[in-house]
Amino acid sequence: MAGVDEAGRGSLAGPLLAAGVLIDLERIGRSERLALARLDDSKQKSAEERETLYPQVIRAAAQVSVAIRSPRCIDRNGLHVSNIAALTDCMHSIARADATRLVDGFRLHRCELEHTPVVDGDARSAAIAAASVIAKVTRDRYMRRVAALYPQWSFEGNVGYSTPEHREAIRSHGICPLHRRSFASVAYSQLGLDGLPGEEDSEGLADVIDIREAIRAEADSDDVEAVAGDA
């Protein structure tokens, strides 16, 4: 069973991160099956619950993949196109020929592999829910890691999402290279963007995002080796 899902689609700052998880139920034991039974939509879990589930998913998974689209990529290509591309990359990375392939929500029109979209898939499929956990935890770890580079926006707490404190920070300090300029956000409406870097000036900013150090900073060594070997 192969499932893909993403995290960060609705955030104001930071990358969109998709994840794919391949689960071979015939090759895992009772403890791994019990761990998968506790999965659900990662957005409905607390950060502590997701961190607990993360190594359990890594141990249960036959293969894991992640794909990232940076803020500048999202600005250039659009959120939906970027999301579909990242999910498709993950599906191509993990799906074996004999796997049932599931994606949360909608069909991946450019995916060359047969797959099934599942509405509310992260609440109905263990494989999609597992991918949701990997995507959310990995992205949150990255945002906490880079928060020190942009302390005015408190990314360690909001991880790029539109909280009242984040919107107030944008009003006070403007936006940084991790912010998505293309979002029609109320938080941006009072900004004079003319004084900020334009597309020609910001080319390349945040285009390359290496999440490996962010994972190593907070993950157990066994988890890091699993991700590095399977991603």
Side-chain angles (χ1 to χ4, degrees):
M1 187 72 67
V4 297
D5 199 6
E6 90 288 319
R9 185 168 55 180
S11 66
L12 297 178
L16 182 147
L17 194 145
V21 173
L22 178 67
I23 297 173
D24 186 346
L25 292 176
E26 294 182 356
R27 297 181 59 186
I28 62 176
R30 182 173 180 273
S31 61
E32 287 83 5
R33 288 173 180 264
L34 289 175
L36 294 177
R38 291 193 290 270
L39 289 168
D40 199 345
D41 180 2
S42 69
K43 295 183 289 297
Q44 305 303 318
K45 301 287 188 182
S46 68
E48 292 76 15
E49 288 173 323
R50 289 192 295 267
E51 288 286 350
T52 299
L53 286 168
Y54 178 89
Q56 296 173 352
V57 169
I58 293 295
R59 283 192 288 269
Q63 191 168 358
V64 173
S65 67
V66 295
I68 304 166
R69 292 300 183 271
S70 73
R72 295 294 77 80
C73 175
I74 294 169
D75 288 343
R76 283 194 300 268
N77 301 325
L79 177 63
H80 185 65
V81 170
S82 300
N83 188 32
I84 292 292
L87 290 168
T88 299
D89 286 350
C90 285
M91 185 67 80
H92 284 159
S93 295
I94 63 165
R96 296 193 312 219
D98 58 346
T100 298
R101 309 176 191 98
L102 305 176
V103 59
D104 185 33
F106 41 77
R107 184 169 294 280
L108 307 176
H109 297 292
R110 295 188 177 183
C111 184
E112 299 174 357
L113 302 169
E114 184 62 34
H115 61 279
T116 302
V118 181
V119 177
D120 295 327
D122 41 15
R124 298 172 61 191
S125 162
I128 294 176
S132 177
V133 167
I134 296 296
K136 178 65 174 167
V137 171
T138 304
R139 185 183 182 279
D140 284 359
R141 288 177 177 180
Y142 171 77
M143 292 301 292
R144 290 195 296 266
R145 184 71 168 173
V146 299
L149 299 177
Y150 307 103
Q152 297 95 327
W153 292 275
S154 301
F155 291 142
E156 70 279 2
N158 60 56
V159 295
Y161 285 92
S162 180
T163 64
E165 293 79 12
H166 188 185
R167 294 193 295 272
E168 179 57 36
I170 291 172
R171 284 190 287 269
S172 299
H173 305 291
I175 59 177
C176 74
L178 282 182
H179 282 94
R180 304 172 188 178
R181 299 172 61 91
S182 56
F183 272 26
S185 170
V186 174
Y188 294 175
S189 62
Q190 298 177 359
L191 296 179
L193 293 179
D194 291 342
L196 295 168
E199 282 299 317
E200 67 281 359
D201 300 321
S202 60
E203 185 68 27
L205 283 177
D207 269 343
V208 178
I209 298 176
D210 190 337
I211 64 168
R212 288 171 295 182
E213 289 303 321
I215 295 174
R216 293 189 182 100
E218 300 182 44
D220 294 334
S221 57
D222 291 342
D223 300 340
V224 173
E225 291 172 3
V227 172
D230 290 333

